[in-house]
Amino acid sequence: MNELIKKIKNNIRITQDEALKLYDMDLLELGSLANDIRVSKFGKQTFYNINRHINPTNYCKDTCKFCAFSKHRAKTSYTMTHEQVLEAVKTAHNENITEVHIVSGHNNKVGLDWYMDMFKIIKEKYPNIHIKAMTAAEVNFIAKEYDMNYKEVLEMMIKNGVDSMPGGGAEIFDEEVRREICRGKVSSDEYIEIHKTWHEMGRHSTCTMLFGHVENRAHRIDHMNRLRDLQDITGGFKAFIPLVYQTKNNYLNIKDPLNAIEILKTYAIARIFLDNFSHIKAYWVTTTINLSLIAQEFGANDLDGTIQKETINSSAGAASANGLELEKFKALITNSGFIPVQRDSLNRVVA
Ligand code: V47
C-alpha cells in the first residue's frame, strides 16, 4: 500500500488493479488522499448551479429493472405538452436558473418532432438558458427508431438548440451486469461512441455511473476506466457523477443498499482514478444532502444544483421531488466549511 500511496501523492496515474486495492484502505486515509487532490485543484470551493430538471414524459418503450420513473412502474403514464414544458421553464426562468436539464423516457408514441420542437421552442423563447438534454440512451433510441445515424441525431439536436448532453443512461458498462439490469437499451460501446461523436463535434457532456445494485467493486473501476480512456482522447466530459442506486418501487429488489463508507470510498477513488476529470459531483439527490456535504471532504467538488423538481430518483425513494431552496443550499455548503461558487453548465464561474 505504501508504494501506491506514494504514487498517488506524486500524481502518477494508477491502474485499475490499484484502484480496486484502494477499497481496502482505511476510509479516512483514503479520504485524505482524495481531499489533497481536491484541495490542490479547487481549495475549499464547492461548485453548484441553479438549474431546473424537467422530465417531460415517463412513457418508455424500454424496461430497466432499476427504474421507478417509467410508466412500467409508475403505472400511469404522462406526456407533457410543449406548452406545459414551456410553463415550467418560464417559472424557473423567473428564479434565475441558467440551465434546464431535460431527460425523457424513450417514447415511441409522440414522434421525433415532439422531442426536437420542445428544444426549439425553449431556445427561441429563452436563448440565454443552457439546454442540457438527451442522454446517450435517448440519442440511441431516436437513431434506431427513425433510422438515423448518431451524427445525424446529434446535428439535429444542435440545430434545435441543445447545448450539452447529460450523463444519464450509463448505468454500469460491464456487459453482463448491463444485460441483467437494462437489457435492450443503449450498449456500453454505443454510449461511449455517442459521447465521443458529440465531443468531436466540439460539444461537452457529463457522464454518470449507477452503483449500489448488483454490480461489484471491479465493475465500478472498469466503468470509470472506460470513461477515463475516452476523456484522454476527447477531453469533452465536464463532470463525473456517481449515482447511488435508490431502492424503492423498482424491479431489482435489492435488500442491502450501500452504506455511507462504501459510497464515500467510491467518491474518493473516483477523484484519484479519474485524474483527467475536473469536477466530481456528489449529486445530493441520490447521495442525500448530508452525505454530499461530507463527500466534499472525500474528493467531491460539485453538488449539482437546486434541481427545483425531480422525478426519476424521487420515484425510487430519493427526497428530491421539490429540490432545495437556493439560500438554504448555499448555507449548508458554507456551514460545512466550504465556499459555495455558482458555476454555469460548462463549469465557468458565474459572477
Ligand atoms: O439515467 C434511474 C438513474 C439517471 C435510478 O449529467 C437511478 O449532470 C438511482 O443521469 N436509483 C438520470 N438512480 C439522472 C442523471 C443525472 C442526474 C444528475 C446530473 C446528471 C448530469 C445526470 O438516474 C438515469 C439512471 O442512471 N436512475 N433509476 C434509481 N432507482
Side-chain angles (χ1 to χ4, degrees), residues 53 66-69 99 101 103 132 135 165-171 185 206-210 239 241 243-248 250 281 283 286 304 307 310 312-313 316:
H53 282 215
F66 52 78
C67 185
F69 163 67
E99 169 190 289
H101 178 162
V103 174
K132 176 166 165 166
T135 65
M165 273 177 63
E171 323 318 351
K185 99 167 182 194
T206 44
C207 53
T208 58
M209 171 177 79
L210 179 66
I241 306 120
L243 300 167
V244 182
Y245 166 70
Q246 308 294 300
T247 55
K248 303 256 164 57
N250 64 72
K281 209 187 266 188
Y283 182 51
T286 67
D304 199 272
I307 316 273
E310 198 282 330
I312 298 178
N313 298 112

Side-chain angles (χ1 to χ4, degrees), residues 50-243:
I50 307 183
N51 61 354
R52 160 80 200 236
H53 282 215
I54 304 178
N55 306 120
T57 177
N58 73 342
Y59 187 91
C60 193
K61 74 167 206 31
D62 291 310
T63 319
C64 297
K65 285 193 184 163
F66 52 78
C67 185
F69 163 67
S70 87
K71 59 116 180 149
H72 304 287
R73 268 323 284 209
K75 302 285 191 282
T76 50
S77 86
Y78 73 84
T79 298
M80 292 165 78
T81 62
H82 289 163
E83 288 68 35
Q84 287 170 321
V85 173
L86 212 50
E87 190 54 35
V89 180
K90 182 180 165 198
T91 312
H93 181 252
N94 294 339
E95 291 160 20
N96 296 324
I97 59 153
T98 61
E99 169 190 289
V100 277
H101 178 162
I102 302 177
V103 174
S104 296
H106 308 157
N107 190 328
N108 54 6
K109 304 272 186 221
V110 285
L112 181 57
D113 287 350
W114 178 86
Y115 280 86
M116 296 300 154
D117 287 352
M118 170 165 64
F119 307 131
K120 192 158 124 205
I121 292 167
I122 296 172
K123 205 47 154 192
E124 273 169 10
K125 195 112 189 159
Y126 302 101
N128 295 331
I129 292 184
H130 181 106
I131 303 180
K132 176 166 165 166
M134 296 285 288
T135 65
E138 288 168 82
V139 172
N140 181 61
F141 155 68
I142 297 279
K144 302 258 153 84
E145 190 72 20
Y146 300 101
D147 199 19
M148 296 164 76
N149 65 39
Y150 294 145
K151 192 139 190 263
E152 287 168 336
V153 179
L154 298 173
E155 276 167 351
M156 191 178 273
M157 283 157 49
I158 292 175
K159 190 166 150 251
N160 286 285
V162 174
D163 296 294
S164 69
M165 273 177 63
E171 323 318 351
I172 279 282
F173 288 147
D174 177 84
E175 280 71 15
E176 214 171 296
V177 173
R178 221 172 165 77
R179 258 195 302 281
E180 189 177 338
I181 65 171
C182 55
R183 185 190 290 265
K185 99 167 182 194
V186 65
S187 73
S188 314
D189 286 347
E190 288 166 341
Y191 182 98
I192 293 288
E193 187 190 336
I194 289 165
H195 281 269
K196 182 164 185 273
T197 310
W198 182 248
H199 297 168
E200 284 167 354
M201 291 163 78
R203 298 287 167 148
H204 291 99
S205 62
T206 44
C207 53
T208 58
M209 171 177 79
L210 179 66
F211 72 116
H213 41 89
V214 300
E215 93 293 354
N216 62 33
R217 290 168 167 179
H219 294 138
R220 291 177 214 151
I221 305 295
D222 164 64
H223 187 97
M224 290 187 229
N225 190 52
R226 298 194 206 192
L227 295 171
R228 187 172 78 172
D229 283 349
L230 178 56
Q231 183 76 332
D232 273 344
I233 299 169
T234 66
F237 286 127
K238 285 289 174 190
F240 173 63
I241 306 120
L243 300 167

